[in-house]
């Protein structure tokens, strides 16, 4: 710790609670900033790894042999070579291959390029639960990466002032996200400062995923909304419609919007639920978490009724519970999972997000399992975790496809 910081921690002889907390906040945030800079230097731009031919084949359903033949005949994107001469492709090149094959085989185009068609509506998926740490953000990141790797166009929207989703995409909330650069800019009530949503969308290092980052600024919406409601001031639509209307402006650019919500049931979460065409409620299978989710559901039910009374139409394609950080060998957890399945039946997704040191370690490095190369974490651990996450994502994609009327 810097000497100046240590000096600041020495309290003046009489100090009131407000100035003490403010002082602690300053020294702590200074210290955290230093630690973060050391562990994750601000200049360390995130980059996505490249993919081996067998991975590309799995992702695109283009046979290995075809890829190799194309590359040796000089057709299609030119892969780089690793030291051992293996071919590797960037995600942008994988997407080029998709376009190529969809064009060549129009009757199978959907298999190569699964983007939504004109008669299929934008899917807005909210990941919610006010229980902190129920793996909302981890679920969002893995789903976004999975979708982009499979050729979908994704918008990831961070509605949480903690901004962990933004951090996972390399946008550090205190450093990289300035004033009026979060979703608040598109929702705010003062027309002079409000910005079109398109202006605050950023490209990410992950081909196919755009981001609207968050930081503390999004809290302004929680403070402003009750004031505007009480004074009947502000311009534009009522609070719960604003997010939905903003998203409609960029509808044509995406297949799926993923909303990462804060661990609270405020105006932002409510706006997310209203804008959403589907919802995943993440739940860690422990009694306390389930009790907390029960409160969440009760409150959400009440709030949705209030919205309905003010003329809102909530009509979602699907709502599912996802069991997260699941340890299948833990007997009490198994009882909770059994209870949830008994109560909610098919509304609980069959695959569960297995608790894994691989997910945790990847998270610390601000990565998803999809970004790790085999060998970065114990091979078996990585493989098991990856299979579990794939199964969860695949079941969500099936629901999305069903909402589009695809068989
Ligand atoms: N399957 C898993 N295995 C191991 N650790 C996990 C798993 N899923 C999530 N975690 C870890 O649990 C912690 C909480 O996860 P996450 O941040 O996704 O939760 P959250 O619901 O978004 O939290 P918050 O309510 O604060 O937004 C993180 O440290 C994350 O790495
Ligand atoms: Mg989170």
């Amino acid at each position: 710790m810097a000497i100046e910081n240590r000096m600041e921690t020495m309290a003046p002889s009489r100090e009131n609670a407000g100035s003490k907390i403010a002082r602690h906040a300053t020294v702590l945030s200074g210290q955290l900033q230093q630690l973060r800079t050391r562990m994750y230097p601000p200049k360390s731009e995130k980059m996505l790894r490249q993919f081996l031919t067998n991975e590309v084949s799995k992702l695109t359903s283009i046979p290995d042999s075809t890829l190799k033949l194309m590359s040796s005949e000089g057709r299609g994107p030119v892969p780089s070579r690793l030291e051992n001469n293996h071919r590797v492709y960037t995600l942008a090149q994988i997407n080029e291959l998709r376009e190529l094959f969809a064009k060549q085989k129009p009757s199978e185009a959907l298999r190569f390029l699964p983007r939504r068609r004109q008669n299929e509506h934008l899917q807005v998926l909210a990941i919610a639960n006010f229980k902190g740490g129920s793996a909302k953000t981890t679920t969002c990141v893995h789903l976004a990466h999975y979708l982009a790797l499979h050729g979908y166009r994704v918008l990831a929207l961070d509605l949480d002032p903690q901004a962990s989703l933004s951090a996972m995409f390399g946008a550090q909330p205190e450093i990289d996200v300035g004033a009026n650069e979060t979703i608040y800019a598109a929702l705010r009530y003062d027309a002079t400062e409000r910005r079109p949503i398109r202006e605050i969308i950023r490209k990410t290092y992950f081909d196919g995923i755009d981001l609207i980052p968050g930081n503390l600024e999004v809290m302004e919406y929680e403070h402003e909304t009750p004031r505007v409601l009480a004074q009947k001031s502000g311009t534009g639509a009522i609070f719960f419609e604003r997010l939905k209307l903003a998203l409609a402006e960029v509808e044509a650019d995406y297949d799926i919007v993923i909303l990462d919500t804060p661990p609270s049931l405020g105006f932002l979460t409510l706006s997310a639920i209203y804008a959403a065409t589907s919802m995943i409620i993440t739940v860690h299978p422990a009694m306390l978490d389930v009790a907390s989710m029960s409160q969440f559901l009760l409150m959400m039910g009440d709030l949705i009724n209030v919205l309905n009374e003010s003329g809102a139409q909530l009509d979602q394609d699907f709502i599912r519970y996802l069991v997260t950080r699941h340890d299948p060998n833990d007997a009490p957890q198994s009882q909770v999972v059994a209870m949830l399945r008994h109560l909610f039946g098919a509304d609980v997704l069959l695959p569960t997000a297995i608790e894994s040191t691989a997910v945790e370690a990847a998270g610390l490095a601000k990565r998803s399992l999809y970004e790790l190369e085999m060998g970065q974490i114990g091979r078996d651990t990585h493989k098991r975790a990856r299979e579990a996450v794939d199964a969860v994502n695949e079941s969500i994609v099936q629901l999305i496809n069903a909402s589009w009327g695809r068989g």
Side-chain angles (χ1 to χ4, degrees):
M1 190 190 278
I3 291 185
E4 307 87 276
N5 278 2
R6 226 177 305 145
M7 296 294 285
E8 280 173 42
T9 56
M10 287 164 56
S13 50
R14 286 175 66 91
E15 186 182 30
N16 68 29
S19 63
K20 179 172 190 156
I21 287 177
R23 184 170 54 78
H24 284 183
T26 311
V27 287
L28 185 58
S29 96
Q31 181 67 21
L32 289 175
Q33 190 67 45
Q34 283 179 25
L35 276 174
R36 251 191 309 250
T37 316
R38 215 177 310 144
M39 284 174 59
Y40 186 78
K43 288 270 165 282
S44 75
E45 283 237 331
K46 284 201 83 179
M47 281 213 357
L48 183 57
R49 69 181 176 93
Q50 298 189 304
F51 298 85
L52 288 161
T53 315
N54 67 337
E55 289 180 285
V56 178
S57 176
K58 268 194 212 129
L59 289 171
T60 58
S61 75
I62 302 168
D64 249 25
S65 51
T66 311
L67 290 169
K68 288 193 175 125
L69 188 70
M70 284 176 73
S71 150
S72 43
E73 287 178 354
R75 285 186 291 127
V78 182
S80 311
R81 296 278 185 160
L82 294 178
E83 274 172 24
N84 57 13
N85 210 29
H86 286 170
R87 296 174 177 85
V88 280
Y89 296 80
T90 64
L91 180 53
Q93 288 180 320
I94 299 176
N95 285 331
E96 228 179 297
L97 283 164
R98 291 194 164 104
E99 303 261 1
L100 208 71
F101 274 73
K103 216 175 277 167
Q104 271 172 15
K105 301 186 178 177
S107 61
E108 292 175 68
L110 204 60
R111 181 157 71 90
F112 295 113
L113 209 59
R115 291 176 182 172
R116 71 187 171 97
R117 304 297 191 253
Q118 241 164 14
N119 59 341
E120 299 168 337
H121 59 278
L122 175 74
Q123 191 58 244
V124 182
L125 179 63
I127 314 278
N129 193 344
F130 67 18
K131 179 70 193 174
S134 60
K136 293 178 288 296
T137 303
T138 307
T139 305
C140 284
V141 171
H142 283 88
L143 180 62
H145 288 183
Y146 181 91
L147 289 168
L149 286 171
H150 287 80
Y152 296 91
R153 301 165 304 162
V154 179
L155 174 63
L157 205 170
D158 197 345
L159 290 163
D160 187 353
Q162 299 174 97
S164 345
L165 181 73
S166 312
M168 291 291 276
F169 280 103
Q172 297 190 78
E174 312 85 345
I175 300 166
D176 304 317
V177 185
N180 229 16
E181 289 181 358
T182 69
I183 189 63
Y184 178 64
L187 302 180
R188 57 194 303 161
Y189 296 94
D190 42 350
T192 46
E193 295 290 322
R194 191 160 58 231
R195 300 177 68 190
I197 191 168
R198 199 177 293 281
E199 285 185 12
I200 46 170
I201 292 177
R202 307 176 175 207
K203 291 263 161 259
T204 69
Y205 67 96
F206 209 112
D207 210 63
I209 306 180
D210 288 352
L211 171 75
I212 299 182
N215 70 12
L216 269 182
E217 183 185 73
V218 301
M219 274 306 282
E220 293 292 320
Y221 199 63
E222 304 292 347
H223 299 144
E224 278 295 297
T225 302
R227 203 178 56 79
V228 166
L229 285 175
Q231 297 174 353
K232 299 197 168 41
S233 59
T235 58
I238 182 151
F239 78 89
F240 59 82
E241 283 182 329
R242 299 172 93 89
L243 178 61
K244 189 177 185 146
L245 290 171
L247 288 173
E249 291 173 29
V250 289
E251 188 179 346
D253 300 349
Y254 303 101
D255 302 315
I256 294 136
V257 179
I258 299 176
L259 308 175
D260 187 15
T261 60
S264 59
L265 196 44
F267 295 109
L268 281 167
T269 305
L270 216 50
S271 307
I273 293 170
Y274 181 70
T277 56
S278 54
M279 186 153 60
I280 299 284
I281 299 172
T282 50
V283 55
H284 177 58
M287 261 321 177
L288 272 177
D289 294 63
V290 171
S292 159
M293 182 178 80
S294 155
Q295 294 298 311
F296 177 70
L297 296 177
L298 282 172
M299 281 173 67
M300 193 165 71
D302 282 352
L303 288 166
I304 290 177
N305 284 336
V306 173
L307 291 187
N308 282 337
E309 279 159 23
S310 38
Q313 284 295 317
L314 264 90
D315 187 19
Q316 301 200 331
D317 294 320
F318 61 88
I319 298 177
R320 291 290 184 280
Y321 298 92
L322 169 65
V323 175
T324 57
R325 293 176 31 227
H326 180 206
D327 175 359
N329 299 320
D330 179 304
Q333 279 201 19
S334 300
Q335 281 178 10
V336 174
V337 174
M339 179 188 81
L340 289 172
R341 292 203 192 281
H342 174 71
L343 293 174
F344 301 143
D347 288 336
V348 183
L349 286 180
L350 214 49
T352 61
I354 303 292
E355 173 106 46
S356 164
T357 49
V359 177
E360 204 179 350
L364 282 175
K366 296 203 171 74
R367 292 213 163 91
S368 80
L369 288 180
Y370 297 111
E371 295 179 274
L372 299 183
E373 283 165 66
M374 278 293 171
Q376 262 176 289
I377 287 175
R379 200 182 169 83
D380 287 346
T381 316
H382 186 179
K383 192 161 173 283
R384 262 199 314 276
R386 173 74 192 263
E387 280 167 3
V389 172
D390 274 347
V392 167
N393 289 329
E394 180 49 39
S395 70
I396 297 174
V397 168
Q398 272 173 17
L399 290 165
I400 293 174
N401 281 336
S403 81
W404 287 337
R406 298 184 188 179

